[in-house]
Amino acid sequence: MVDRPSRDGRDSSGYWLWALASSTQLVAGVVSYRRGCSGDSRLMPFKAFVVASLFVGAGATSAAGLLNFFGIQKVEHLKELGANIRNGLGVPPRDTTR
């Protein structure tokens, strides 16, 4: 495993925990989805909510893990990344006076 220091000097090697959490939630969501609706049909809305929450949680933890891995810990870092991408594509800077 590669230890990648972040922009402010903190160690960001804990990204694998986020990846593990994301993978676990994704597997739990797939297993629950494949199992389908068994038992009392009145619980179907609750079961659907639980499965959807697992998929949303997996997406959120994987996004947080990727941001942590790449050393982005502040909104300013994300804004800087967006500005760099826009400059690389040749898009003019955004007007922030509004």
Side-chain angles (χ1 to χ4, degrees):
M1 187 173 342
V2 177
D3 288 337
R4 298 176 59 117
S6 65
R7 294 178 187 208
D8 46 0
R10 294 186 303 181
D11 182 28
S12 64
S13 63
Y15 69 91
W16 66 271
L17 290 173
W18 289 97
L20 180 65
S22 176
S23 300
T24 303
Q25 284 182 325
L26 185 62
V27 167
V30 169
V31 167
S32 297
Y33 179 73
R34 289 183 137 205
R35 190 174 297 161
C37 180
S38 61
D40 192 2
S41 64
R42 292 177 292 175
L43 294 176
M44 186 56 198
F46 176 71
K47 291 178 182 180
F49 176 76
V50 169
V51 172
S53 297
L54 287 170
F55 284 118
V56 170
T61 54
S62 64
L66 282 173
L67 290 175
N68 189 14
F69 176 73
F70 288 115
I72 298 173
Q73 282 127 9
K74 295 181 180 178
V75 175
E76 289 80 20
H77 295 159
L78 204 53
K79 288 180 180 178
E80 180 183 325
L81 176 66
N84 290 339
I85 291 172
R86 282 191 301 275
N87 287 339
L89 294 173
V91 177
R94 298 181 92 173
D95 183 23
T96 59
T97 58
R98 291 190 232 176

